[in-house]
């Protein structure tokens, strides 16, 4: 038997066996702890989805910026409270049915139309129930949020919610069926059209009601697209199946409880602030809690692909571990430097986007930028693959309890920034608990729980790259927009330059490890013989 060697860093494409070598029982080598092609399986589909969402989200990110400049802070605060209610109910009313498609469709693609129909109708009923509740308690909700004018928009909020809930299945079905290019195009077109439906009424009528009517019309068009597209392809197979519906519900409800608690926990701090301050002050806080499109885009696209791939690995062995670690590193490579950069340039970013009117949002946003970091571990996604929905529920209850108990002290001690800080602390601690649970499920010792070395290198490089940015923002007298652009260029050059040289160093010192043998076995890790 002949053993071939290649460095730990080498890709599967660089070392490819000839057919005669494979039949002769030759041993190849691959990176320790990773299955061949694992990086490709995550990167290519995720890159397609990210590209599609970048195109749309670049446009849709401008919605809040335009409205903040067009309306007074009190009116913009009402807009933010409208979407705070929508975002909360959107997470609660899904009942886990939309996300259940990631679990069922890859395992039984033949019944996909029935799974989708079950989810679509369940989401529609849930949305209509929310519509009724919003209308019945519109006055009480508006009073609780110290904004009486909000009551006038509750019906529109309910309609928008119902349509958006039902159309959630559109991209999920495409990703579950590995139609990544189609999903990417849909993401892009949908977000661009959404932006037009929000911005055009705002400019034409300078009315918040017109904005909400445009949003509702957009959501209705998405529902129509879902129904027509699936009916044209599957016809009468697109129907309700009560047997499958019960199966979906049994999986989804524990997950829905976990997500429900998570949604409440994530938004609880905003409700506390809204109930204590007027709409104009809440607008300042909401701007500080600025949602960065890149975060959701990168996170959602990457973990969705990971979940589908993990679902196909029924054994959940080394391939699953490698897939999880690869996902963590891919997320960390982009999201750690993004978090650090946003923390350093908080003032320049807020002033450039929202003008100096919202300068009070800067300290809040600095803390908010750090809340990106816990998401790199993809804890929720991995636990969902293992159907650990009950454990997810326990985790989220722990986090909610921590926030509810401590938010008063954090607010009195740190001001409005304290409401974000308590959310960051609780999220980080509970995610560490989730990582421990995943390590237990995968039978990993502490030393292999996370890709410690790679993560450490990413954090160090992200920190070093911040040094020239700190000088640019603190010592120079550039205008906020210019300083932001120069800082972004400097940070990217240093961070990616350091990452490139770190990769070269790793290439030159990588150990040789085995890939596979032609007779179905593997050699011991670290073997370096010929």
């Amino acid at each position: 038997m002949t053993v071939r060697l290649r460095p730990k860093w080498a890709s599967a494409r660089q070392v490819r066996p000839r057919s005669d070598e494979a039949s002769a029982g030759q041993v190849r080598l691959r990176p320790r702890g990773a299955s061949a092609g694992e990086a490709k399986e995550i990167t290519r589909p995720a890159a397609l989805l990210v590209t599609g969402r970048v195109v749309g989200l670049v446009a849709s990110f401008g919605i809040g910026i335009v409205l903040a400049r067009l309306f007074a802070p009190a009116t913009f605060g009402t807009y933010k409270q409208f979407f705070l209610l929508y975002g909360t109910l959107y997470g609660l009313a899904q009942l886990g049915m939309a996300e259940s498609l990631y679990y069922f469709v890859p395992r039984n693609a033949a019944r996909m139309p029935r799974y989708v129909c079950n989810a679509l109708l369940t989401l529609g009923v849930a949305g209509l129930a929310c519509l009724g509740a919003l209308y019945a308690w519109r006055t009480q909700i508006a009073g609780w949020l110290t904004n009486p004018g909000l009551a006038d928009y509750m019906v529109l909020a309910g309609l928008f919610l119902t349509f958006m809930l039902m159309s959630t299945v559109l991209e999920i079905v495409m990703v579950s069926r590995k139609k990544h290019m189609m999903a990417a195009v849909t993401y892009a077109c949908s977000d661009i059209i959404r932006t037009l439906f929000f911005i055009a009424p705002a400019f034409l009528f300078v009315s918040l009601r017109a904005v909400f009517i445009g949003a509702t019309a957009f959501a209705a068009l998405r529902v129509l697209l879902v129904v027509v597209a699936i009916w044209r392809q599957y016809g009468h197979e697109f129907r309700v199946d009560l047997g499958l519906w019960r199966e979906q519900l049994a999986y989804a409800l524990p997950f829905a409880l976990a997500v429900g608690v998570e949604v409440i926990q994530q938004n609880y701090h905003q409700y506390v602030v809204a109930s204590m301050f007027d709409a104009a002050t809440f607008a300042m806080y909401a701007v500080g809690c600025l949602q960065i499109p890149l975060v959701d885009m990168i996170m959602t696209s990457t973990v969705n692909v990971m979940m589908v791939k993990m679902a196909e690995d029924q054994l959940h062995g080394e391939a699953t571990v490698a897939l999880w670690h690869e996902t963590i590193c891919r997320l960390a490579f982009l999201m750690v430097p993004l978090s650090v950069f946003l923390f350093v340039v908080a003032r320049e970013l807020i002033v450039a986007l929202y003008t100096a009117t919202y300068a009070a949002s800067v300290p809040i946003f600095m803390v908010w930028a750090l809340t990106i970091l816990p998401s790199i571990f993809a804890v929720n996604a991995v636990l969902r693959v293992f159907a650990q929905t009950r454990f997810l529920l326990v985790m989220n209850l722990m986090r909610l309890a921590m926030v509810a108990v401590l938010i008063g002290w954090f607010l009195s001690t740190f001001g409005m920034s304290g409401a974000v800080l308590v959310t960051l602390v609780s999220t980080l601690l509970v995610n560490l608990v989730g990582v421990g649970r995943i390590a237990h499920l995968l039978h990993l010792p502490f030393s292999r729980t996370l890709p410690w070395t790679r993560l450490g290198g990413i954090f160090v490089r992200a920190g070093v790259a911040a040094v020239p940015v700190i000088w640019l923002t603190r010592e120079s007298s550039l205008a906020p927009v210019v300083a932001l652009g120069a800082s972004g260029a400097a940070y990217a050059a240093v961070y990616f330059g350091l990452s490139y040289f770190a990769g070269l160093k790793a290439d030159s010192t990588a150990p040789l490890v085995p890939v596979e043998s032609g007779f179905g076995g593997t050699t011991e890790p670290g073997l370096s013989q010929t």
Side-chain angles (χ1 to χ4, degrees):
M1 181 184 71
T2 303
V3 179
R4 293 175 63 211
L5 301 178
R6 71 177 171 94
K8 180 179 179 180
W9 49 266
S11 66
R13 184 176 297 179
Q14 289 174 288
V15 182
R16 190 180 300 276
R18 300 188 304 272
S19 58
D20 58 331
E21 293 175 340
S23 61
Q26 188 173 41
V27 175
R28 295 171 57 232
L29 301 176
R30 65 170 172 85
R32 181 183 288 121
S35 60
E38 212 64 72
K40 183 193 301 182
E41 290 182 353
I42 284 290
T43 303
R44 287 186 177 178
L48 284 174
L49 296 177
V50 168
T51 301
R53 300 203 70 184
V54 163
V55 174
L57 288 180
V58 165
S60 63
F61 182 66
I63 294 174
I65 298 171
V66 171
L67 297 183
R69 293 168 177 265
L70 196 60
F71 297 123
T75 305
F76 186 63
T78 301
Y79 167 84
K80 284 293 189 178
Q81 288 177 347
F82 178 98
F83 278 97
L84 173 61
L85 287 171
Y86 159 75
T88 304
L89 293 175
Y90 182 81
L92 295 175
Q94 285 193 45
L95 302 175
M97 291 298 287
E99 294 290 330
S100 74
L101 297 176
Y102 284 123
Y103 183 84
F104 288 103
V105 171
R107 290 168 168 81
N108 195 346
R111 295 182 174 179
M112 187 274 291
R114 302 184 191 184
Y115 284 128
V116 173
C117 188
N118 291 342
L120 195 68
L121 292 181
T122 303
L123 292 169
V125 172
L128 291 174
C130 291
L131 170 60
L134 286 171
Y135 179 76
W137 292 307
R138 61 191 183 281
T139 304
Q140 291 87 338
I141 293 171
W144 176 41
L145 297 178
T146 62
N147 186 359
L150 187 63
D152 296 336
Y153 306 114
M154 288 298 98
V155 172
L156 287 172
L159 289 172
F160 179 68
L161 171 67
T162 301
F163 294 142
M164 288 302 293
L165 280 171
M166 295 178 69
S167 65
T168 302
V169 303
L170 181 59
E171 291 88 359
I172 291 179
V173 169
M174 294 176 185
V175 174
S176 299
R177 298 185 62 215
K178 300 183 182 179
K179 304 290 186 181
H180 300 114
M181 177 61 76
M182 185 183 299
V185 173
T186 304
Y187 274 131
C189 294
S190 179
D191 286 339
I192 292 172
I193 295 171
R194 178 179 64 177
T195 302
L196 295 175
F197 272 77
F198 274 69
I199 297 298
F203 277 114
L204 289 174
F205 303 100
V206 195
S207 163
L208 201 56
R209 181 177 296 277
V211 173
F212 295 150
I213 291 173
T216 304
F218 161 77
L221 285 176
R222 274 182 57 92
V223 174
L224 183 63
L225 175 62
V226 171
V227 174
V228 170
I230 297 179
W231 178 262
R232 288 184 62 183
Q233 184 168 0
Y234 296 101
H236 293 289
E237 272 299 303
F238 181 57
R239 58 186 174 86
V240 175
D241 188 315
L242 292 179
L244 296 182
W245 181 78
R246 285 190 289 268
E247 184 182 351
Q248 284 177 274
L249 207 60
Y251 169 86
L253 281 182
F255 172 66
L257 288 173
V259 169
V261 175
E262 181 179 13
V263 169
I264 294 171
Q265 181 273 326
Q266 287 177 342
N267 295 304
Y268 182 75
H269 63 102
Q270 295 196 61
Y271 284 105
V272 171
V273 173
S275 66
M276 296 175 62
F277 303 96
D278 59 22
T281 305
F282 178 76
M284 301 294 171
Y285 183 78
V287 167
C289 298
L290 175 66
Q291 298 291 335
I292 305 299
L294 280 174
V295 175
D296 175 69
M297 177 185 61
I298 295 170
M299 182 69 188
T300 302
S301 301
T302 304
V303 301
N304 285 352
V305 174
M306 180 195 73
M307 288 172 64
V308 173
K309 296 294 183 183
M310 281 189 174
E312 295 171 349
D313 179 21
Q314 299 296 327
L315 297 178
H316 294 308
E318 284 296 318
T320 296
V321 176
L323 193 59
W324 181 39
H325 284 184
E326 187 65 35
T327 301
I328 290 173
C329 291
R330 301 266 167 185
L331 288 172
F333 181 77
L334 295 175
M335 296 176 78
V336 170
L338 177 62
S339 177
V340 174
F341 176 72
L342 292 175
F343 179 86
V344 175
V345 300
R347 182 185 178 281
E348 287 70 25
L349 181 65
I350 294 297
V351 173
L353 295 180
Y354 293 93
T355 74
T357 302
Y358 292 90
S361 304
V362 171
I364 301 167
F365 181 70
M366 292 179 72
V367 182
W368 183 257
L370 300 179
T371 62
I372 296 171
L373 297 177
S375 63
I376 65 174
F377 302 116
V379 168
N380 286 11
V382 177
L383 290 176
R384 280 158 54 192
V385 171
F386 282 91
Q388 293 285 305
T389 50
R390 289 181 178 83
F391 190 80
L392 276 171
L393 175 60
V394 172
M395 284 174 53
N396 291 331
L397 285 172
M398 290 170 53
R399 183 162 46 187
L400 177 59
M402 290 176 62
V403 173
V405 170
L406 298 174
I407 192 168
W409 180 84
F410 273 80
L411 274 170
S412 61
T413 304
F414 301 103
M416 284 198 295
S417 299
V420 180
L421 185 59
V422 69
T423 304
L424 170 62
V425 172
S426 62
T427 301
L428 182 59
L429 292 177
V430 172
N431 267 266
L432 292 177
V433 173
V435 168
R437 179 65 174 175
I438 295 170
H440 172 75
L441 293 170
L442 295 174
H443 308 290
L444 295 175
F446 178 79
S447 60
R448 292 193 59 213
T449 299
L450 294 172
W452 301 104
T453 302
R454 294 173 69 183
L455 283 178
I458 290 171
F459 273 93
V460 169
R461 292 191 291 273
V464 172
V467 174
V469 176
I470 293 173
W471 180 85
L472 275 172
T473 56
R474 302 298 185 269
E475 302 299 329
S476 66
S477 57
L478 298 174
V481 175
V482 178
L484 187 62
S487 298
Y491 191 90
V494 175
Y495 175 75
F496 288 112
L498 290 173
S499 298
Y500 175 76
F501 287 112
L504 290 180
K505 182 178 179 181
D507 290 352
S508 64
T509 61
L512 298 174
V513 291
V515 177
E516 58 189 2
S517 69
F519 48 83
T522 59
T523 57
E524 292 299 317
L527 180 68
S528 56
Q529 63 182 18
T530 57

